[in-house]
Amino acid sequence: YMYTKNRKLDPKIRIDDFSKCFEKLSCAAIETILNEATLIADLKGNEFITVQDIAEAGQKTGTVNIKLI
């Protein structure tokens, strides 16, 4: 939860599912993905970070292939 504290996540994202995807990642990897997802959401003009933004960020950073909901 601490990684999402100051970020506007889509209300459809369930934190429990979200956290399972990042279970084996380092703190730095999680931060990298969420920072990239924030940039992606901003570039798209989204008010919230969506599941798609997080998945795209995971692929773009080469950190993980995230499959949420």
Side-chain angles (χ1 to χ4, degrees), residues 48-62:
F48 298 105
I49 298 169
T50 65
V51 171
Q52 183 180 1
D53 298 331
I54 295 168
E56 189 177 330
Q59 292 174 345
K60 189 173 181 180
T61 60

Side-chain angles (χ1 to χ4, degrees), residues 29 32-40 49 51-64 66:
T32 299
I33 291 169
L34 291 177
N35 287 340
E36 187 64 33
T38 301
L39 291 172
I40 291 168
I49 298 169
V51 171
Q52 183 180 1
D53 298 331
I54 295 168
E56 189 177 330
Q59 292 174 345
K60 189 173 181 180
T61 60
T63 308
V64 66
I66 300 170

